[in-house]
Coordinates of all heavy atoms in Angstrom, one line a residue:
S1 N 0.2 -46.5 72.3 CA 1.2 -46.9 73.4 C 2.6 -46.3 72.9 O 2.8 -46.0 71.8 CB 1.3 -48.4 73.6 OG 1.8 -49.0 72.4
S2 N 3.5 -46.3 73.9 CA 4.8 -45.8 73.6 C 5.5 -46.8 72.6 O 6.3 -46.4 71.7 CB 5.7 -45.7 74.9 OG 5.7 -46.9 75.6
T3 N 5.2 -48.1 72.7 CA 5.8 -49.1 71.8 C 5.3 -48.8 70.4 O 6.1 -48.9 69.4 CB 5.3 -50.5 72.2 OG1 5.8 -50.7 73.5 CG2 5.9 -51.5 71.3
E4 N 4.0 -48.5 70.2 CA 3.5 -48.2 68.9 C 4.1 -46.9 68.3 O 4.5 -46.9 67.1 CB 2.0 -48.0 68.9 CG 1.2 -49.3 69.2 CD -0.3 -49.1 69.3 OE1 -0.7 -48.4 70.3 OE2 -1.0 -49.5 68.4
L5 N 4.3 -45.9 69.1 CA 5.0 -44.7 68.7 C 6.4 -45.0 68.2 O 6.8 -44.4 67.2 CB 5.0 -43.7 69.8 CG 3.7 -42.9 70.1 CD1 3.8 -42.0 71.3 CD2 3.3 -42.1 68.8
L6 N 7.1 -45.8 68.9 CA 8.5 -46.2 68.5 C 8.5 -46.9 67.2 O 9.3 -46.7 66.3 CB 9.2 -47.0 69.6 CG 9.6 -46.2 70.9 CD1 10.1 -47.1 72.0 CD2 10.7 -45.2 70.5
R7 N 7.6 -47.9 67.0 CA 7.5 -48.6 65.8 C 7.2 -47.7 64.6 O 7.7 -47.8 63.5 CB 6.4 -49.7 65.9 CG 6.7 -50.9 66.8 CD 5.5 -51.8 66.9 NE 5.8 -52.9 67.8 CZ 4.8 -53.7 68.2 NH1 3.6 -53.5 67.8 NH2 5.1 -54.7 69.0
F8 N 6.2 -46.8 64.9 CA 5.8 -45.8 63.8 C 7.0 -45.0 63.4 O 7.3 -44.8 62.2 CB 4.7 -45.0 64.4 CG 4.4 -43.8 63.5 CD1 3.7 -44.0 62.3 CD2 4.7 -42.5 63.8 CE1 3.3 -42.9 61.5 CE2 4.4 -41.4 63.0 CZ 3.7 -41.6 61.8
W9 N 7.8 -44.4 64.4 CA 8.9 -43.6 64.1 C 10.0 -44.3 63.3 O 10.6 -43.8 62.4 CB 9.4 -43.0 65.4 CG 10.3 -41.8 65.1 CD1 11.7 -41.8 65.3 CD2 10.0 -40.5 64.6 NE1 12.2 -40.5 65.0 CE2 11.1 -39.8 64.5 CE3 8.7 -40.0 64.2 CZ2 11.1 -38.4 64.1 CZ3 8.7 -38.7 63.8 CH2 9.9 -37.9 63.7
H10 N 10.2 -45.6 63.7 CA 11.2 -46.4 63.1 C 10.9 -46.6 61.6 O 11.7 -46.5 60.7 CB 11.4 -47.7 63.8 CG 12.4 -48.6 63.1 ND1 13.8 -48.4 63.2 CD2 12.2 -49.8 62.4 CE1 14.4 -49.3 62.5 NE2 13.5 -50.2 62.0
F11 N 9.6 -46.9 61.4 CA 9.1 -47.2 60.0 C 9.3 -45.9 59.2 O 9.8 -46.0 58.0 CB 7.7 -47.6 60.0 CG 7.1 -47.9 58.7 CD1 7.2 -49.2 58.2 CD2 6.4 -47.0 57.9 CE1 6.6 -49.5 56.9 CE2 5.9 -47.3 56.7 CZ 6.0 -48.6 56.2
M12 N 8.9 -44.8 59.7 CA 9.0 -43.5 59.0 C 10.4 -43.1 58.7 O 10.7 -42.5 57.6 CB 8.2 -42.4 59.7 CG 6.8 -42.6 59.9 SD 5.8 -42.7 58.4 CE 5.8 -40.9 57.9
K13 N 11.3 -43.4 59.6 CA 12.7 -43.1 59.3 C 13.3 -43.9 58.2 O 14.2 -43.4 57.5 CB 13.6 -43.4 60.6 CG 13.5 -42.4 61.7 CD 14.4 -42.7 62.8 CE 15.9 -42.6 62.4 NZ 16.8 -42.9 63.6
N14 N 12.7 -45.1 57.9 CA 13.2 -45.9 56.8 C 12.6 -45.5 55.4 O 12.9 -46.1 54.4 CB 12.8 -47.4 57.0 CG 13.7 -48.0 58.1 OD1 14.8 -47.6 58.3 ND2 13.2 -49.0 58.8
N15 N 11.9 -44.4 55.4 CA 11.3 -43.9 54.1 C 12.4 -43.5 53.1 O 12.3 -43.7 51.9 CB 10.5 -42.6 54.4 CG 9.2 -43.0 55.1 OD1 8.8 -44.1 55.2 ND2 8.6 -41.9 55.7
H16 N 13.6 -43.1 53.7 CA 14.7 -42.7 52.8 C 15.2 -43.9 52.0 O 15.5 -43.8 50.8 CB 15.8 -42.0 53.5 CG 15.3 -40.6 54.1 ND1 15.3 -39.5 53.3 CD2 14.9 -40.3 55.3 CE1 14.9 -38.5 54.1 NE2 14.6 -38.9 55.3
C17 N 15.3 -45.0 52.7 CA 15.8 -46.2 52.1 C 14.8 -46.7 51.1 O 15.2 -47.2 50.0 CB 16.0 -47.3 53.2 SG 17.4 -47.0 54.3
A18 N 13.5 -46.6 51.4 CA 12.5 -47.0 50.4 C 12.5 -46.1 49.2 O 12.5 -46.6 48.1 CB 11.1 -46.9 51.1
A19 N 12.6 -44.8 49.4 CA 12.7 -43.9 48.2 C 13.8 -44.2 47.3 O 13.7 -44.2 46.1 CB 12.7 -42.4 48.7
M20 N 15.0 -44.4 47.9 CA 16.2 -44.7 47.1 C 16.2 -46.0 46.4 O 17.0 -46.3 45.6 CB 17.4 -44.6 48.0 CG 17.7 -43.1 48.5 SD 19.3 -43.0 49.4 CE 18.8 -43.6 51.0
S21 N 15.2 -46.8 46.7 CA 15.1 -48.1 46.0 C 14.1 -48.1 44.9 O 13.9 -49.2 44.2 CB 14.7 -49.2 47.0 OG 15.7 -49.3 48.1
I22 N 13.4 -47.0 44.7 CA 12.4 -46.9 43.6 C 13.0 -46.5 42.3 O 13.3 -45.3 42.1 CB 11.2 -46.0 44.0 CG1 10.6 -46.5 45.3 CG2 10.2 -45.9 42.9 CD1 9.5 -45.6 45.8
S23 N 13.4 -47.4 41.5 CA 14.2 -47.0 40.3 C 13.5 -46.8 39.0 O 14.0 -46.2 38.1 CB 15.3 -48.1 40.1 OG 14.6 -49.4 39.9
G24 N 12.3 -47.3 38.9 CA 11.5 -47.2 37.6 C 10.1 -46.9 37.7 O 9.5 -46.4 36.8
T25 N 9.5 -47.0 38.9 CA 8.1 -46.8 39.1 C 7.8 -45.3 39.0 O 8.5 -44.5 39.7 CB 7.6 -47.3 40.4 OG1 7.9 -48.7 40.5 CG2 6.1 -47.1 40.6
P26 N 6.8 -44.8 38.2 CA 6.4 -43.4 38.2 C 5.9 -43.0 39.6 O 5.1 -43.7 40.2 CB 5.3 -43.3 37.2 CG 5.5 -44.5 36.3 CD 6.0 -45.6 37.3
V27 N 6.4 -41.8 40.1 CA 6.0 -41.3 41.4 C 5.6 -39.8 41.3 O 6.3 -39.0 40.7 CB 7.2 -41.4 42.4 CG1 6.8 -40.8 43.7 CG2 7.6 -42.9 42.6
L28 N 4.4 -39.5 41.8 CA 4.0 -38.2 42.0 C 4.0 -37.9 43.5 O 3.3 -38.5 44.3 CB 2.5 -38.0 41.5 CG 1.9 -36.6 41.7 CD1 2.7 -35.5 41.0 CD2 0.4 -36.6 41.3
M29 N 4.9 -36.9 43.9 CA 4.9 -36.6 45.3 C 4.2 -35.3 45.6 O 4.4 -34.3 44.8 CB 6.4 -36.5 45.8 CG 6.6 -36.7 47.3 SD 8.3 -37.1 47.8 CE 8.3 -38.9 47.4
V30 N 3.5 -35.2 46.6 CA 2.6 -34.0 46.9 C 2.9 -33.4 48.2 O 3.1 -34.1 49.2 CB 1.1 -34.5 46.8 CG1 0.2 -33.3 47.0 CG2 0.8 -35.2 45.5
Q31 N 2.9 -32.1 48.3 CA 3.1 -31.4 49.5 C 2.3 -30.1 49.5 O 2.3 -29.3 48.6 CB 4.6 -31.0 49.6 CG 5.0 -30.1 50.8 CD 5.0 -30.8 52.1 OE1 5.5 -31.9 52.3 NE2 4.4 -30.1 53.1
G32 N 1.6 -29.8 50.6 CA 0.9 -28.5 50.8 C 1.9 -27.5 51.2 O 2.7 -27.7 52.1

């Protein structure tokens, strides 16, 4: 639904805030 798409997009936009809060956990980021 359009509501689900909006929720999904809002969650994904907040990825930057999440990334900036990871101060000690080891992270492997992958991209093709």
Side-chain angles (χ1 to χ4, degrees):
S1 67
S2 56
T3 301
E4 288 177 293
L5 283 174
L6 287 172
R7 287 176 182 167
F8 170 75
W9 194 250
H10 177 72
F11 183 88
M12 297 296 287
K13 280 184 68 178
N14 286 333
N15 292 345
H16 294 279
C17 293
M20 288 186 284
S21 299
I22 301 175
S23 59
T25 304
V27 176
L28 173 64
M29 202 163 279
V30 182
Q31 171 76 45

